[in-house]
Structures are given as structure tokens and as C-alpha cells.
Amino acid sequence: MRRLNVILLLCLALRLTAGVNYTPDMYSLIVQDIYEELTEEWREPDLEQLTEDLARLHEEPLNLNDVTAEDLGRLRFLSDRQIDDILLFVYKRPMNSLYELRLVPSLADYEIRNMLPFVCVAPVRQQEHVYIKEVLHYARHEIHLRLDANNIENNGNDPFHCYLRYRFAYKQKVEAGIVLDRDPHEPFYYPQKTYGADFYGGYLQLNDIGCFKTIVAGDYRACFGQGLVINTDMTYGGKTQYMLGKGFRQEGLRRKSSAAEYDFLRGIGATMRWGIADISVFYSGRKPDGKVENGVFSSIQHTGLHRTDTELQAKRGFWQHIAGANVTLRLKHARIGITATENILSDTLRAKPTYYNANYFTGIRQFAAGVNFNWQLKRVTLFGEAATAQNTKWGFAGLAGIKVMPVNEVNLTAIYRYYSRHYDNMLASSLLEVSRLNDEQGLYLGAEVNPSRRLRLAAYADIFRFSMPKYGIKTPSEGFDIRLSANYMPDDNIDMQWLFRCKRKGEADKYSLRYTLNAKTGCWQMRTGMEGNIVKKQSEKPTLGGVIYEQVEYHARSYPLVVQLRLEAFSAHDYDNRIYTYENDVLYVFSVPAMYGAGGRWYVNFRYSISKHVSLYLKAAETIFTDRTMSERGMTSRTRTDIHALLRIRL
């Protein structure tokens, strides 16, 4: 452990004496910033899907002279106001250089730096017709073969995770793919449950075909309004997004290309553009995991793991049929939508009674409907949604907010939410504190201030209340969540971030502080991170947790090689002090391990382009625990070693 700390200090010393020269491609560091914001929330976002979306934008950048608001909305770090300003700037005259982004009044240097890997400037192309012969001849093919060995010391003779993926894409018009996935210890055969791979997925998406804006088939996601009726895209709705003016963006229907085995639809859907109206209809029929006994099951399992007999018996335990529709009117300054869904189960869902789930949904059928709106005039935006859902009693959920930009340098947001105790929509997900949209009231206030083009200050305060017990909280309670952050770019090749968060929930208070420093010099990219927290519970002594890491990335100039190394030390003896740190991995793979206990961790990534069409990705990682024997944690070793390998073939 002492040796690891010495290495970290040497890396920091080298950082302070290094000169840096700015280059716009800081893709990996930018993506890491985005992921760290997402993983601050309670939710488990589908980072594999988001990784693919960002990687595709990196490989096929958006032409700023020929983009729509929906295209720019795929850049998660842009606010609605910034998107409007970019479109207005391009409407007045086409851009000739990316340097002209500095002339967009609401864009600070921080946002411009984040945009550079994903945008370009080129002449506008005429609208093209889609012909089958051209699609088959000019389409791009991509194959991923991945083999991971996870937790080698403690997974016995079967630590392997196998993954196969194929993607077919033609520009932004046609995309299709298949995914096969198998986790460690999952059998290749189990009667009537598993044959070969544990998970099979596939999708087809067509865009802008005749009067159809989108057609999806196979696995897909749906997100409308503010998510109170349906939102199966878990990367939207976080508090940080509202604070930075990004808000909740209606994604509609879009393909699901990841290997995630939960929160998605499987069937067919389409969005038709008819005048000022977008009309969407969709249907899904699939078998989620749940152990059914005598026609009743107590919960839907979301782990996606099928290793033991118990887990395998719950695999594809019941049918779930979902049908829905949405109509959205696009007016000059407003957008108004109506959404309705019908959720039908083949067996009865009845949760086992506990102190916190008295008002959870029970039954085999649930209808939900809602109305949403978004009205924007100059520097003021009003948005919200009201919904109702069938339960033992009809429940109500409402969310209303306002965003104001009094000057280009200031964004202000205020949101009030009310989810009644009888509202428990299985398909909903939006702004909330706990993991279930049920029995919650809250007032959210957010602000972003840019005193200069190189400094961004942001903060939010969220006050919430539960009228019934929640998981881990056995009485009605109140709480708050406060977050302060600052991003500073002293010059074009260095940026720093400070973050402070204070949260009270139940009987626990948690205080967190984080600092990160990114820099680039020539072929080198470097990132330093430090984070610590204090947890104080009533009648208990405060507990501490902390982590420090140094990450170095090298891009060779003479040959197609990228190497990345991270060294990390952590100490978090209490589980409530655990710290999540995002790690880079092989292509389209994410890793957010929880640092719990005391010890150190290192990993190294390699990316080598064997030829124009073939690339090899490797990752080796090891965690070394120093505070206890691993047998106390149900394991047999003091270390955990992971090895990931991926071969990508592009044609």
C-alpha cells in the first residue's frame, strides 16, 4: 500500500512540472465527466447504450450546418437555450469553422471543448432518397467479439463473460443489430430456459422514411413527456441535468442495442409525422424475470443474472404485454403531448408485505395516462406533466417547472413534484429521490452561473418529503439534497472541477467533496481525482471514506496505439462511505466499481489498430484489499483480478 501511495505522489509531481499544449480531442476525459454526473444519482443508467451513442457521434460527427434540435439534444451537456442559440446562429449564416462557436453567446469555453469531439462543419447535403441497393452496398458492418474473465480468484473455474454483437448501419437512416450475452456461471443449457447464450437481443430502426419519423422493431426504449407515464431510458431525469439547464428531453422511440436485460420493450413501434403532429404507437410483449408460484409473483428481478437454480427458475417467469400511444403537437412556441399505456401481466403481481410497500401496485393490469407540455418564449420555459395510473386506488402524479435565463450567463430552474401514495406506475421514471416513483413531494431549485467563459458555477437544492415509510426509513420523513460545483479552465489545455454535496435522508447525513484535474500535453492526457465523504447517523460516531487516483493516457503518433494507466488508493471501512468511480474500459463497456474497504486498485487499457478494419482492445485490472481477509467478505482471496478483451471488425 505504501508503494502505491509513493507512485501516486510521483505522478502528481510530474503533473505539476509538465507543460501542456491544447488539442481539441479530449474524448475520453469528456465522456468520463458525463458518466460521473450520471452515476451520482440513485439510478443505474444504461451506460453501455450511452457509450455506443457517444462513440458513434465521435466517429460520425454532427454537421453543425445541417442539424436539428433533436440532433443536438443527443449532446447531453447542452442546454435547451444553447441548442436554440446554435440553430439561430447557423440559420443566419452557415459556419465555416468550429472556431465560430465562440460567437454563440450562451456557449462557454467548457461547453465548446465538450462539443469538439462530436461535431464538424461541412457543406449542407441535399435530401437523399433511400434505395435498397445503396443501403446494402454502402452500409457499414461492425462485429464485436468480447471475452472477459471477472474476479478470477473467486469465480472458480468459470469466470468468463462472453459477448457477441453485430451492427449494420447506413448513415442516419437504417440501423440494425443483434446482441448475445452470457455472464459468469450461467449455464449454456437449462431446460426451457437457456440455450447457448443467456441473453439474445436484436433491433431494427429506420429514420425519416416517407411520412415516418421513426420505425423500431425488436428491442427498443420509449420515453415521452417528463417520464411520468413511460420512461424506459434510465439516462434521463437526474438532478444534475436539471441544474445545468438540460432538463428532461423526450426521446420518443429509439432502438436498444445494449445487453441490459431490464427496462426495455420488445416488439414494434412507429412515429409518424403528420403536419404539426407526431403520432407514436407501440407494442411490447416479452417475459421478464420473476418467480411465479400458484399464479402469483412478488417482484420483478432486474439483475439479469441466471446462475443458480433459484435465479434460473425465475428467468422469463411471466408475460408482460405493453401497448401505448403518444400524440405530440409541435406549435411555434410550445409542445403539447398526450400519452397513454396499458400494461398487462399474465400472472398477479403481489409484493410480500413489508413496512414500506403497502401502496405498491398489485394486480395483473395497469392503465396510465398523462398530459405534458413545454412552452418557450424568449428566455422563459414552462414545462410539466400530469398523470394518473390504476392501482388499488387511482393515483396522481404531477411535475411542473420553470426555466429562466435572465442573461446569457445565468440559468435558473425551479421544479415542484408531487407523486401520491397510490401512484405506482411500473413504467415511469422521472425526477425523484428514491428508486420508485411513489409517495414523494419535493421542491427543486437549480442555478448555473458563468461569470466568465472559463468559469462555471452550478448548484441545486432539493427538499423532499415522504408521507409513508421507505426502504431503510421506517417512519414518514423529510430530507434535503444540496450540491455545489465549480468548473474552471485556466487555459485551453487544463480544466478543474470542485464538487461539494450535502444530503440528509432518514437518520443519516452525508457530506462529500470531490476534486478533479484534467490536462493534456502533446500525446499525453492526464487526470487526477480525489474524493472524500463523512457519514453521520444518529447516536453513532461519524465514519469516513476517501479515494485518490492518477490516470495517464498516451496516444502514440507513429503507430495506432493508445495506452491508459490508472493507480488508485481508497479507504471506506463503512458501507455507507463507499465511493463510486467511473473507469474506462474496452469499447462500449462501462465500469463503475464501488470502492469499499481499504486498499488499492490499478488498471491498464490498450487499444491497437491492427489494420484499417480490425482493432484490439485489452484491459487488465486488480483490486488489492488491505483491511481484512477476503474470506470475511465471502471470498477466498485478498485480491480481485479482471481481464477484458475485445476484437472489433469494421467493414
Side-chain angles (χ1 to χ4, degrees), residues 353-362 391-392 421-422 438 468-469:
T354 64
Y355 64 90
Y356 61 85
N357 66 359
N359 295 303
Y360 283 8
F361 170 74
T362 296
N391 202 341
T392 52
R421 66 176 64 179
H422 295 293
N438 168 255
M468 299 289 289

Side-chain angles (χ1 to χ4, degrees), residues 350-589:
R350 184 181 298 126
K352 294 179 180 179
T354 64
Y355 64 90
Y356 61 85
N357 66 359
N359 295 303
Y360 283 8
F361 170 74
T362 296
I364 62 173
R365 191 165 189 161
Q366 183 177 48
F367 174 80
V371 179
N372 66 84
F373 69 93
N374 186 295
W375 179 81
Q376 181 176 350
L377 183 62
K378 295 183 178 179
R379 295 179 176 271
V380 178
T381 301
L382 299 175
F383 59 93
E385 184 171 14
T388 184
Q390 185 179 4
N391 202 341
T392 52
K393 295 181 180 180
W394 284 88
F396 171 79
L399 182 149
I402 180 173
K403 292 188 292 186
V404 181
M405 194 175 190
V407 294
N408 290 332
E409 294 78 17
V410 178
N411 274 303
L412 303 175
T413 304
I415 304 172
Y416 175 75
R417 64 188 185 273
Y418 172 79
Y419 312 139
S420 71
R421 66 176 64 179
H422 295 293
Y423 191 88
D424 187 45
N425 184 354
M426 298 171 61
L427 306 176
S429 177
S430 189
L431 177 65
L432 71 166
E433 173 58 33
V434 292
S435 60
R436 199 161 181 135
L437 205 152
N438 168 255
D439 181 40
E440 181 174 330
Q441 299 179 53
L443 177 63
Y444 173 94
L445 302 174
E448 179 190 16
V449 181
N450 294 277
S452 70
R453 297 189 66 93
R454 297 189 177 276
L455 176 63
R456 182 183 73 182
L457 305 175
Y460 73 68
D462 184 37
I463 304 170
F464 47 86
R465 177 178 178 271
F466 312 121
S467 62
M468 299 289 289
K470 292 293 182 181
Y471 180 77
I473 307 174
K474 296 188 176 182
T475 60
S477 61
E478 298 177 349
F480 61 82
D481 184 6
I482 299 173
R483 182 187 189 273
L484 309 173
S485 67
N487 293 81
Y488 178 53
M489 293 181 64
D491 56 45
D492 286 342
N493 48 28
I494 296 177
D495 74 83
M496 295 176 280
Q497 181 187 74
W498 295 265
L499 187 150
F500 171 76
R501 191 171 186 180
C502 171
K503 187 171 186 177
R504 172 173 293 175
K505 186 176 176 182
E507 298 181 351
D509 293 347
K510 185 173 183 178
Y511 305 89
S512 304
L513 184 64
R514 179 198 299 168
Y515 170 74
T516 56
L517 172 64
N518 296 323
K520 184 166 183 176
T521 172
C523 301
W524 297 87
Q525 293 181 2
M526 292 165 281
R527 181 183 184 93
T528 299
M530 293 176 281
E531 183 172 354
N533 61 54
I534 301 174
V535 175
K536 177 67 173 69
K537 297 181 180 180
Q538 292 184 4
S539 69
E540 296 183 13
K541 293 183 179 180
T543 55
L544 306 176
V547 63
I548 179 173
Y549 66 83
E550 179 70 19
Q551 179 176 299
V552 180
E553 185 172 326
Y554 173 71
H555 294 251
R557 289 182 175 177
S558 56
Y559 40 92
L561 175 67
V562 177
V563 182
Q564 187 180 78
L565 172 67
R566 177 186 285 191
L567 301 174
E568 185 172 318
F570 61 91
S571 177
H573 293 277
D574 192 272
Y575 184 70
D576 290 331
N577 295 105
R578 67 192 183 279
I579 299 176
Y580 293 92
T581 58
Y582 172 80
E583 296 183 354
N584 291 290
D585 212 307
V586 299
L587 186 65
Y588 296 170
V589 181

Side-chain angles (χ1 to χ4, degrees), residues 42-43 222-224 226-234 236-237 248 263 265 302 320 322 341 343 366 368-369 385 387-389 397 419 423-432 434-438:
W42 62 264
R43 59 193 70 236
C223 175
F224 295 100
Q226 296 294 318
L228 298 187
V229 177
I230 183 169
N231 173 26
T232 60
D233 188 341
M234 299 299 287
Y236 278 108
F248 193 99
D263 289 329
L265 306 179
H302 297 292
Q320 182 182 33
I322 299 170
T341 61
N343 186 3
Q366 183 177 48
E385 184 171 14
T388 184
Y419 312 139
Y423 191 88
D424 187 45
N425 184 354
M426 298 171 61
L427 306 176
S429 177
S430 189
L431 177 65
L432 71 166
V434 292
S435 60
R436 199 161 181 135
L437 205 152
N438 168 255

